[in-house]
């Protein structure tokens, strides 16, 4: 039996991870500050699970929470693209300073095993190939092209149309939002720590996570929760661009299972895509949710956000081969269930 500290363990993903670790026979404690971006009500944890109500940037509180702990599952973070540039200090503080404080305290406590919640946003755009130039990295899409409805990225060498493929963990990091930049920094800090301390880090690059308990009506939510909140309020989901953006929607129960499996990483730093392996478009996802909920149907708006990317679809092969993790919930099945699942207030 292992004692695991879950930072952010009372949040959407963290609460599912906490429950999965308990079901796997681990002792679990939780550190959670109840950040207003994730919590509108006081945080709750399962009976018998110690809750340290503190910010991961609080060095004394982190040291206290790490007493008797064998490994850490680090979920605590401010997520999403953010509401405005004024969010930048809070993102960097929560995500990067918080991770630095945690790693330093783990070193002091002699704890050498970390599972880090990362994200597919570290890749920027996904994997693309040009018929003429082979694999290429498209430039960030220009506002003028997006205004004109030219949503697909083009070859940076010849301007030709590109074919989108599967992104692997070996793809270069290319963050295109503040949130993405903080996730890259978290991974770099954890990789340096693992190397210098001889520790083990599994960085789990979550793709689009959805499921019961997602927070409703907040700019920090994922797109599935935003659409679900609209439907609950009697409003049509507002689909950006033309709805053709491809993503991989992975159920939160599968993400929790991946965290349990990632505790098996024994040494060094290793990144893993956590994805269903069954991609869909944003428009298809919105339509599926609306049909399962009973309408209203989605509206394709043509609007866009400059921080968004067009296609990010992952290969989950490494997680399957090395962790034995394969997502169990097909997006079509899980999204139909999510259409009527409770959301976090």
């Amino acid at each position: 039996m292992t004692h695991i500290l879950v930072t952010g363990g009372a949040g959407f993903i963290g609460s599912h991870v906490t429950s999965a670790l308990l079901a796997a026979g681990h002792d679990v404690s939780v550190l959670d500050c109840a950040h207003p971006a994730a919590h509108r009500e006081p945080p709750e944890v399962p009976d018998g699970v110690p809750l340290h109500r503190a910010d991961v940037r609080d060095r004394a509180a982190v040291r206290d929470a790490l007493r008797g702990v064998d490994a850490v599952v680090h979920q605590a973070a401010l997520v999403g693209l953010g509401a405005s540039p004024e969010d930048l200090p809070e993102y960097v503080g929560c995500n990067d300073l918080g991770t630095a404080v945690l790693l330093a305290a783990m070193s002091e406590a002699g704890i050498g095993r970390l599972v880090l919640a990362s994200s597919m946003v570290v890749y920027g755009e996904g994997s693309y190939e040009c018929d003429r130039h082979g694999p290429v990295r498209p430039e960030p899409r220009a506002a003028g092209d997006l205004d004109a409805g030219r949503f697909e990225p083009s070859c940076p060498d010849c301007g030709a149309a590109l074919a989108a493929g599967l992104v692997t963990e070996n793809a270069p990091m290319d963050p295109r939002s503040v949130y993405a930049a903080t996730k890259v920094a978290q991974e770099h800090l954890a990789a340096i720590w693992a190397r210098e301390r001889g520790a083990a880090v599994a960085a789990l690059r979550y793709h689009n996570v959805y499921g019961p308990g997602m927070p409703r009506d907040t700019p920090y939510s994922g797109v599935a929760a935003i659409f679900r909140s609209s439907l609950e309020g009697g409003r049509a989901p507002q689909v950006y661009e033309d709805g053709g953006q491809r993503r991989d929607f992975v159920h939160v129960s599968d993400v929790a299972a991946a965290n349990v499996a990632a505790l098996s990483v024994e040494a060094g730093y290793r990144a893993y895509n956590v994805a269903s392996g069954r991609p869909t478009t944003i428009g298809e996802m919105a339509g599926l949710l609306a049909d399962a909920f009973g309408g209203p149907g989605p509206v394709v708006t043509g609007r866009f956000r400059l921080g968004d990317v067009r296609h990010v679809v992952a290969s989950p092969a490494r997680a399957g081969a090395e962790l034995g993790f394969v997502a169990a919930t097909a997006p079509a099945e899980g999204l139909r269930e999510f259409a009527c699942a409770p959301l976090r207030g």
Side-chain angles (χ1 to χ4, degrees), residues 30-65:
V30 166
L31 175 76
D32 200 299
C33 72
H35 195 289
H39 298 271
R40 293 176 182 170
E41 299 174 355
E44 296 181 359
V45 296
D47 290 342
V49 172
L51 171 61
H52 302 266
R53 179 76 179 270
D55 195 304
V56 73
R57 291 169 287 188
D58 183 334
R59 296 187 182 195
V62 171
R63 290 190 190 103
D64 181 61

Side-chain angles (χ1 to χ4, degrees), residues 130-321:
C130 173
D131 284 343
R132 180 179 176 189
H133 294 100
V136 296
R137 298 288 298 171
E139 298 294 329
R141 296 178 296 169
D145 287 335
L146 297 171
D147 275 326
R150 294 188 293 270
F151 300 122
E152 294 290 341
S154 58
C155 177
D157 296 319
C158 67
L162 299 174
L166 298 179
V167 65
T168 71
E169 293 87 349
N170 292 328
M173 294 185 182
D174 186 16
R176 300 191 178 186
S177 69
V178 170
Y179 172 60
T182 67
K183 283 295 170 183
V184 170
Q186 281 187 306
E187 287 205 33
H188 284 164
L189 290 169
I192 293 166
W193 175 79
R195 185 171 62 250
E196 293 184 350
R197 302 297 299 181
V201 174
L204 302 184
R205 293 174 180 169
Y206 301 160
H207 285 253
N208 291 72
V209 185
Y210 70 94
M214 288 189 87
R216 61 161 54 88
D217 292 325
T218 164
Y220 304 96
S221 289
V223 66
I226 292 170
F227 288 169
R228 173 69 174 75
S229 297
S230 295
L231 290 165
E232 195 170 57
R235 304 181 303 275
Q238 303 292 298
V239 178
Y240 279 23
E241 302 185 18
D242 59 359
Q245 311 94 303
R246 293 173 71 238
R247 297 290 189 272
D248 190 307
F249 291 91
V250 58
H251 196 274
V252 67
S253 62
D254 287 319
V255 172
N259 276 270
V260 176
L263 287 168
S264 64
V265 173
E266 295 183 354
Y269 163 88
R270 193 72 163 154
Y272 298 94
N273 285 325
V274 176
S276 75
R278 287 162 279 195
T280 188
T281 69
I282 299 292
E284 290 167 347
M285 183 271 287
L288 195 156
L289 280 179
D291 287 346
F293 189 85
V299 174
V300 177
T301 66
R303 296 199 300 271
F304 61 88
R305 297 184 301 183
L306 276 177
D308 284 343
V309 296
R310 182 63 174 174
H311 304 298
V312 187
V313 177
S315 168
R318 179 185 288 180

Side-chain angles (χ1 to χ4, degrees), residues 117-140:
S118 187
S119 171
M120 56 88 171
V121 298
V122 300
Y123 297 121
E125 286 284 356
S127 176
Y128 292 89
E129 189 160 337
C130 173
D131 284 343
R132 180 179 176 189
H133 294 100
V136 296
R137 298 288 298 171
E139 298 294 329

